[in-house]
Amino acid sequence: MKTMIAPQATETTADTQRQRAGHPMRTLLANGVAFLLPALVLTTPDSMTVIQAIMLVAVLAAGRAQWSAFWRLHARAVRWIGFGFGGYFLVSLLRLVVFDQPLRTLDGPFRLLLALSCIAFVCLYRPRQRWFWLGMCVGALGAGVVALVEWITTGVDRVEGFTHHAITFGDLAVAMGVMALCSLSEWRGGRWGWLPVAALVSGLAASVLSGSRGGWVGLLLVVPPLLHYGSAVHGRRIVYATLAVLALCVVAYFVPATSIERRTMDAVHEVQRWFAADDATTHVGVRLELWKGSWMMISEHPWLGVGRDNFFTALNALHAEGRLQGSPALEYSSSHNDLIHTLATGGVLDFSLLLVMYLAPLLFFLRVLAQPGSEARTAALAGMSLVVCYFGFGQTEVMFWLMMPKIFYGMMVCVLAGLCLTAGPSALKR
């Protein structure tokens, strides 16, 4: 998986600057889309669909000459990311034909395939990174506002924003807050230096109000690599900021209004009840029962799984055979674990593709982070953090099952990869 990054480091030259100045509408489109994608994702409904369509049309309108230049310069660098998303679509298409599945099963895989156009959009139109980071901070702050307003006005126990799913809302809010923190250097020396830290705090607050415990798994996993690589990019400031936010989280744990301590202790007790009394009626008990049934499916259908749309049917078949107890778990259509669900429904084939969709972007971003002095490292740090967060979220949720987290991952990975490829010597100073 040798990745070529260097040829793009010299692309942002005086010629490129003049090209931007000569095409104000092109610049407005690039910067506007870069800002709106993260700013609107959790603050408005269906914004990702609209922005993805705009990016795709813009890429198609760029013309054959620019496509050829993009392919020549960048195809090798992102080939494994393309293989992961493209391979997932092709396998999904093959499954549709062989197993006569409904056409709707291609919706998610096709949207992931289209997400690759985000790399081309960034490389062809070259938005300023500052607009993307501003949008990320605004989006994370907006998620906190949306969560607080919903919590106050509706009185619900778990807010879900415009995602219609509390876990998705909480997880994506954490991911956006962490990625916003990765932009610390963008605001160095200015009056907005507090913005990334405030964005992280707001994202975490939205997660708390969503009642999602899985978001904290992702946060705990990402902190060590964030501090390790972030200190090389931002110096001690990111260490101080991260430790300060973690200290705030500890304080919040002991504040009754946040319910963090109560939900944590509830989870511990529910695990104990499942092991001691086989109680699958609690939230955690249901998950453990789902994992138990999933492992039965994996042992019997290791290569292709029971089918992506057949989890519910297979789960209830195990109950009919007397191998699973009657419980609320029988009403679920997923394992609530990314790796286990993929193995159970798609077998080793889908599991291999899932690993590529995680590992290919992760290795790409880590290689950029290994380049001392590269201004692409800010985007790479955010990309690495996104992948690690998603892997953590996936321990208690199926991230590539629902549409929104699937498309969020695809578009953000590809936009950040494009920003890595186009960051030049002065990319963060413009």
Side-chain angles (χ1 to χ4, degrees):
M1 274 193 203
K2 185 178 179 181
T3 307
M4 295 176 59
I5 304 292
Q8 289 72 31
T10 58
E11 288 296 310
T12 307
T13 61
D15 290 339
T16 307
Q17 302 280 356
R18 286 193 294 269
Q19 187 180 41
R20 279 201 186 96
H23 298 83
M25 292 304 297
R26 184 185 181 95
T27 302
L28 179 63
L29 171 66
N31 293 337
V33 169
F35 170 79
L36 291 175
L37 172 60
L40 299 182
V41 63
L42 290 181
T43 56
T44 60
D46 303 321
S47 60
M48 282 194 298
T49 299
V50 175
I51 293 174
Q52 187 175 52
I54 293 172
M55 285 186 169
L56 181 60
V57 170
V59 169
L60 294 175
R64 183 177 301 177
Q66 293 198 50
W67 299 342
S68 299
F70 162 75
W71 184 264
R72 185 175 64 257
L73 288 170
H74 305 297
R76 181 173 176 80
V78 297
R79 68 190 185 281
W80 286 105
I81 298 177
F83 176 79
F85 293 167
Y88 184 66
F89 171 76
L90 291 176
V91 168
S92 301
L93 180 61
L94 183 62
R95 284 182 179 274
L96 181 143
V97 174
V98 174
F99 299 110
D100 195 28
Q101 295 177 341
L103 189 61
R104 60 179 172 79
T105 60
L106 277 184
D107 190 12
F110 184 61
R111 295 280 296 276
L112 273 177
L113 179 67
L114 292 182
L116 293 172
S117 66
C118 297
I119 302 178
F121 177 86
V122 173
C123 291
L124 294 174
Y125 288 85
R126 294 179 175 273
R128 290 177 62 189
Q129 285 206 28
R130 178 176 285 265
W131 284 103
F132 178 78
W133 298 126
L134 179 61
M136 187 66 71
C137 292
V138 169
L141 289 168
V145 172
V146 168
L148 185 61
V149 170
E150 181 179 347
W151 184 62
I152 292 174
T153 58
T154 65
V156 295
D157 291 332
R158 304 183 65 180
V159 302
E160 55 189 33
F162 295 101
T163 66
H164 308 299
H165 197 278
I167 296 176
T168 295
F169 181 73
D171 288 349
L172 298 191
V174 170
M176 290 189 65
V178 172
M179 286 191 288
L181 183 68
C182 295
S183 69
L184 271 172
S185 290
E186 182 67 22
W187 316 100
R188 180 179 298 166
R191 69 173 109 178
W192 300 103
W194 55 269
L195 195 58
V197 178
L200 174 58
V201 172
S202 184
L204 295 179
S207 179
V208 169
L209 293 177
S210 75
S212 173
R213 288 175 286 210
W216 298 95
V217 177
L219 181 65
L220 292 175
L221 280 182
V222 80
V223 166
L226 181 65
L227 292 179
H228 175 72
Y229 292 104
S231 60
V233 179
H234 302 296
R236 293 182 179 180
R237 292 197 312 145
I238 195 169
V239 177
Y240 297 149
T242 303
L243 293 179
V245 171
L246 289 178
L248 184 63
C249 291
V250 173
V251 172
Y253 177 87
F254 294 103
V255 176
T258 67
S259 301
I260 299 176
E261 181 181 17
R262 177 181 59 80
R263 290 183 61 81
T264 301
M265 298 310 300
D266 285 348
V268 173
H269 294 152
E270 289 168 8
V271 170
Q272 294 172 341
R273 288 170 59 181
W274 188 81
F275 279 104
D278 204 21
D279 183 0
T281 62
T282 64
H283 289 293
V284 177
V286 165
R287 277 179 167 80
L288 293 173
E289 193 73 6
L290 289 170
W291 296 356
K292 177 181 176 181
S294 298
W295 280 112
M296 293 179 184
M297 300 177 203
I298 294 168
S299 64
E300 297 173 3
H301 306 275
W303 302 110
L304 295 177
V306 298
R308 291 181 185 173
D309 285 349
N310 296 334
F311 182 85
F312 175 82
T313 303
L315 191 70
N316 282 270
L318 291 172
H319 169 62
E321 295 169 8
R323 300 166 65 187
L324 286 178
Q325 62 176 302
S327 74
L330 300 176
E331 301 173 5
Y332 284 72
S333 299
S334 76
S335 304
H336 275 275
N337 180 287
D338 225 355
L339 304 179
I340 294 175
H341 181 81
T342 302
L343 273 171
T345 59
V348 173
L349 178 60
D350 278 15
F351 183 76
S352 300
L353 287 170
L354 178 66
L355 290 183
V356 174
M357 288 194 288
Y358 277 137
L359 289 176
L362 181 63
L363 293 176
F364 174 89
F365 293 126
L366 289 178
R367 286 194 175 96
V368 178
L369 285 169
Q371 299 180 1
S374 171
E375 291 183 350
R377 291 190 302 168
T378 299
L381 183 65
M384 179 276 297
S385 300
L386 173 64
V387 177
V388 174
C389 278
Y390 252 66
F391 183 80
F393 300 156
Q395 303 316 299
T396 56
E397 179 64 317
V398 182
M399 302 308 295
F400 291 91
W401 181 53
L402 295 175
M403 183 65 70
M404 187 169 183
K406 186 185 305 182
I407 307 311
F408 179 92
Y409 181 81
M411 292 186 70
M412 288 298 176
V413 160
C414 291
V415 167
L416 290 166
L419 292 176
C420 287
L421 294 173
T422 57
S426 60
L428 298 180
K429 299 181 179 63
R430 291 193 300 275

